[in-house]
Amino acid sequence: MKKCFFFLLIVLGSVLSCKQEAPSAEDAVMQQAQQYYQSLLKGEYDAFLSGIDGADSLPADYREQLMANTCQFVDVQQQQRGGMVSVEAIRAVIDSTATTHADAFLLICFGDSTREEVVVPMVERQGKWLMR
């Protein structure tokens, strides 16, 4: 029964995706930046770090240091603001002189009801948007 339901969802998703237009470059930037920050919400720090341009070629000890810094950042946000509760992509601006560079604007909501807008510089590498 579960296999049939799963198969039906896949078929339905495929049919619906065929009718949708490809996302704009700005939408792709926003979605990718939001996905990286949502990985922080889920505690998936390795996924967040993998979204950094050049992360795949970092020395292991430096990557471990970045991981520790990421964990510390999340802990501080938890203690001071009740943690990150949600992340919403607001807009993206692609650099008109270098279309492989963009800024994604995200709205981060915290547990203490404060909100903060952050700018995430992004770069396109082999068709994928990564954080600079």
Side-chain angles (χ1 to χ4, degrees):
M1 183 69 170
K2 288 182 181 181
K3 289 181 182 179
C4 292
F5 181 72
F6 183 68
F7 178 76
L8 180 62
L9 285 177
I10 290 175
V11 171
L12 182 60
S14 298
V15 170
L16 291 176
S17 68
C18 290
K19 294 182 181 181
Q20 297 175 350
E21 295 180 20
S24 69
E26 289 85 359
D27 287 341
V29 171
M30 289 188 316
Q31 290 172 1
Q32 198 62 59
Q34 183 175 1
Q35 183 178 350
Y36 293 137
Y37 272 75
Q38 284 178 334
S39 64
L40 287 177
L41 292 175
K42 298 175 188 174
E44 299 170 354
Y45 306 133
D46 195 48
F48 177 78
L49 291 179
S50 295
I52 297 173
D53 184 32
D56 55 346
S57 60
L58 293 174
D61 58 336
Y62 184 64
R63 187 173 175 88
E64 287 176 22
Q65 189 177 12
L66 283 177
M67 179 70 77
N69 288 346
T70 302
C71 293
Q72 183 179 15
F73 168 77
V74 171
D75 287 344
V76 167
Q77 297 308 310
Q78 181 67 37
Q79 292 170 7
Q80 293 180 352
R81 298 174 154 189
M84 292 186 289
V85 176
S86 67
V87 176
E88 178 186 349
I90 301 171
R91 65 187 171 102
V93 177
I94 296 180
D95 188 339
S96 60
T97 61
T99 57
T100 58
H101 292 86
D103 289 323
F105 294 81
L106 303 177
L107 183 64
I108 301 175
C109 298
F110 295 93
D112 65 357
S113 75
T114 59
R115 303 186 318 168
E116 182 176 330
E117 185 176 326
V118 296
V119 180
V120 182
M122 305 285 285
V123 62
E124 185 180 24
R125 299 277 188 242
Q126 300 175 338
K128 185 176 182 179
W129 287 97
L130 299 167
M131 296 179 288
R132 284 191 277 170

